Amino acid sequence: MALNMASANVTYRNNLVSDSKGSRPVKQMAAPKAVTSRVRAVSTFKRADKSSPASTLNFMERLPSEILFKILSYLNASALFSISHVNKLFNQLANDNALWNKIYVAELAKKKRWKPNRIDEIRDQDAGNWKWLHFKTVAECNMDCGLRRLGLISRYTGLPFQTENVLRSINVTWELTVSDKSGHKATYEPSWSEFCETSVTLCWTGGGCLPNYQQISTLQLHGVRRVALDCPGLKAPGFRSLMVKLDVQNLTKSAQVIGQDKLVALKLLEPGVIIGIWRGQCSVAFVIFTLHFHRLVERSILGSAVCPYVMPIIKPPFDDIDPEYGLHGYQLHIVLHGTACNIMSQSFSKLFCQRTQISDGLIQLTAISRTIHSRHTPLSRSITLPWRCEALQGTVENCCIMSLTLLDEFKKPFWCVTSPVSMELEKTPVSYDYDGEHYLIHYKDSDGQMKMKFVWMKEQEQFVLTCLVVYVTVSKVNKHFSREY
């Protein structure tokens, strides 16, 4: 019996070899059933070894959906989110509401935040959207942990120490949405960002993607809080918070060029926003937003996609005894910087204005007086604004970014602003103290003004700050302190 079986195997193999060499068809001996099944198994095994990933995927697709669903039920949120990008079938299966309901319940139980009546409330409001609810819950947990870290305040700036770390830990980024006159919209992530002492600078470079300057209709800046997922190469889901919306067509009429070099001209659309235009053209080289740290975390995550975060109004205690309440006890912290390094950073305390000195609806707070030489401050660097765009880079002279933080007598932020500014040559200054060219930086908005005066010391090759005065509108002081100056 064994001999007969071996003979049959040899004959069967010979027939297979004969066929494979393309020889004349021969009449094959029928192999026993056991041999046939064994050959089929070996043949199938060999095909599986030589199969491509696509063939394996087709094999998976041929499985019943119930089996695939059972397999997917063992995946965590990151793996389930990743596999939903494989193809349409897995996208449909991985977005099944029951799978995400299971993950959502497990996440709440793990974090011990489960409330018996919460499940019914969610079903009524967001039925069929357990995936969105899971991501929202995870993001809110991370957000709550981050916001608690903002309680440690710097006594110099009056701002949280951990602003940058919190933004990074809760996966906050920013997106720029550009709309043109034809109604087309495109959203871009920053090309680069730089954190400084009290502000962050965000830049989007053109690269042929941004529309022509004259064709831009609106710019919208959103903060985006992304869910922490272990999915390399995939953009995690995020929740958007509108921060700025600009009507570029209207702003273009009043936009001013604050500086230029051989390649680009910088147009200031409004405080905190500049567009770099290639000289001799209308194409956009880059768009830069500068954001002050005051309430930056809240503004980046607590608004909605269409409505910005509304900052709470916190008024100081009412005082009807002090006749000059709201005119003294101010503290100023000011920073001048480029896109990467500081030019100067200094704090000034106990600033005040006498009631008789109120003029033209402004309260004057002098930090550095021209007549007090001991307060004059030399700058460590020249006043320049470097820029970089794809393979090109340059430096605009006599421009920089100013970040101003004014605290009231209770050490609470009273006026905070970050914006690119320009330094202009003063043509008619008279000074017997310094022999050199005099320059002025003048910032102005609806809440106040700031003036800085410099002298260029040719021998030392550096600027000296000789005057720094902040002007706050009387209406802002009256509203904040409930006064009637």
Side-chain angles (χ1 to χ4, degrees), residues 77-286:
S78 296
L80 198 59
F81 177 77
S82 296
I83 205 171
S84 68
H85 292 76
V86 172
N87 58 22
K88 291 183 179 180
L89 172 63
F90 281 107
N91 180 270
Q92 181 180 0
L93 291 173
N95 283 290
D96 187 273
N97 203 35
L99 287 176
W100 288 101
N101 172 262
K102 176 183 175 182
I103 293 177
Y104 176 80
V105 173
E107 185 70 24
L108 285 184
K110 182 174 66 176
K111 295 183 178 298
K112 298 181 180 181
R113 294 184 55 184
W114 179 262
K115 296 181 180 179
N117 60 343
R118 181 174 171 81
I119 191 76
D120 297 326
E121 296 174 2
I122 292 174
R123 281 176 177 167
D124 291 340
Q125 296 175 5
D126 300 286
N129 213 350
W130 289 105
K131 178 180 178 180
W132 179 84
L133 285 170
H134 167 74
F135 287 144
K136 183 180 179 182
T137 301
V138 173
E140 286 179 351
C141 290
N142 294 336
M143 179 186 70
D144 293 341
C145 295
L147 290 176
R148 285 195 293 269
R149 295 169 58 191
L150 295 177
L152 189 59
I153 305 298
S154 167
R155 66 172 186 167
Y156 297 105
T157 66
L159 304 171
F161 272 114
Q162 299 290 327
T163 297
E164 178 182 353
N165 293 334
V166 169
L167 288 169
R168 295 184 186 280
S169 67
I170 61 178
N171 302 304
V172 172
T173 184
W174 295 270
E175 290 180 346
L176 180 67
T177 302
V178 183
S179 304
D180 59 23
K181 291 182 178 179
S182 64
H184 177 263
K185 290 185 178 181
T187 300
Y188 308 92
E189 293 188 341
S191 303
W192 55 264
S193 60
E194 292 287 349
F195 284 88
C196 292
E197 190 176 344
T198 57
S199 65
V200 60
T201 302
L202 309 173
C203 180
W204 289 262
T205 58
C209 298
L210 296 175
N212 188 288
Y213 173 63
Q214 296 178 342
Q215 296 299 317
I216 297 178
S217 174
T218 61
L219 294 176
Q220 295 183 72
L221 177 67
H222 286 86
V224 182
R225 173 170 39 105
R226 298 211 176 275
V227 180
L229 291 177
D230 185 17
C231 303
L234 296 177
K235 183 185 292 186
F239 301 89
R240 309 177 84 203
S241 172
L242 179 64
M243 300 178 70
V244 180
K245 184 175 182 179
L246 303 178
D247 186 343
V248 178
Q249 294 300 308
N250 288 335
L251 294 174
T252 299
K253 301 174 184 177
S254 58
Q256 57 178 330
V257 176
I258 63 171
Q260 59 186 6
D261 62 8
K262 295 181 180 179
L263 296 176
V264 299
L266 304 182
K267 287 195 173 184
L268 183 68
L269 292 184
E270 71 166 26
V273 185
I274 57 174
I275 293 184
I277 309 295
W278 295 115
R279 295 190 63 177
Q281 307 177 34
C282 289
S283 56
V284 177
F286 52 82

Side-chain angles (χ1 to χ4, degrees), residues 47-62:
R47 286 199 301 268
D49 277 349
K50 297 179 180 180
S51 64
S52 64
S55 302
T56 304
L57 187 60
N58 292 335
F59 169 74
M60 292 290 292
E61 290 177 344
R62 289 196 297 270

Side-chain angles (χ1 to χ4, degrees), residues 413-434:
F414 177 66
W415 182 35
C416 301
V417 62
T418 295
S419 178
V421 292
S422 61
M423 183 175 66
E424 299 180 354
L425 179 65
E426 284 191 294
K427 296 181 179 180
T428 59
V430 178
S431 175
Y432 301 101
D433 301 318
Y434 294 98

Side-chain angles (χ1 to χ4, degrees), residues 298-419:
E298 292 88 339
R299 289 184 288 143
S300 299
I301 65 176
L302 296 183
S304 70
V306 294
C307 296
Y309 167 74
V310 179
M311 287 198 245
I313 299 175
I314 302 176
K315 288 191 174 185
F318 180 75
D319 189 337
D320 58 354
I321 299 177
D322 185 356
E324 295 193 343
Y325 183 55
L327 299 181
H328 54 75
Y330 288 96
Q331 180 175 322
L332 172 67
H333 184 79
I334 190 161
V335 181
L336 296 182
H337 61 89
T339 52
C341 56
N342 281 359
I343 299 171
M344 71 158 284
S345 173
Q346 203 162 351
S347 295
F348 307 89
S349 60
K350 300 180 180 179
L351 305 183
F352 66 93
C353 175
Q354 296 180 0
R355 190 164 189 168
T356 56
Q357 294 177 326
I358 298 176
S359 176
D360 299 327
L362 296 172
I363 293 173
Q364 178 178 321
L365 303 172
T366 302
I368 297 179
S369 172
R370 181 187 292 269
T371 59
I372 304 178
H373 293 185
S374 61
R375 303 294 299 274
H376 295 180
T377 306
L379 304 188
S380 60
R381 301 174 182 271
S382 298
I383 297 179
T384 59
L385 185 61
W387 60 269
R388 59 185 186 271
C389 176
E390 283 86 37
L392 299 175
Q393 60 184 0
T395 300
V396 179
E397 300 288 337
N398 297 335
C399 282
C400 65
I401 298 172
M402 175 208 65
S403 184
L404 180 150
T405 308
L406 185 65
L407 310 179
D408 62 18
E409 63 177 286
F410 302 99
K411 309 304 180 189
K412 301 297 183 183
F414 177 66
W415 182 35
C416 301
V417 62
T418 295
S419 178

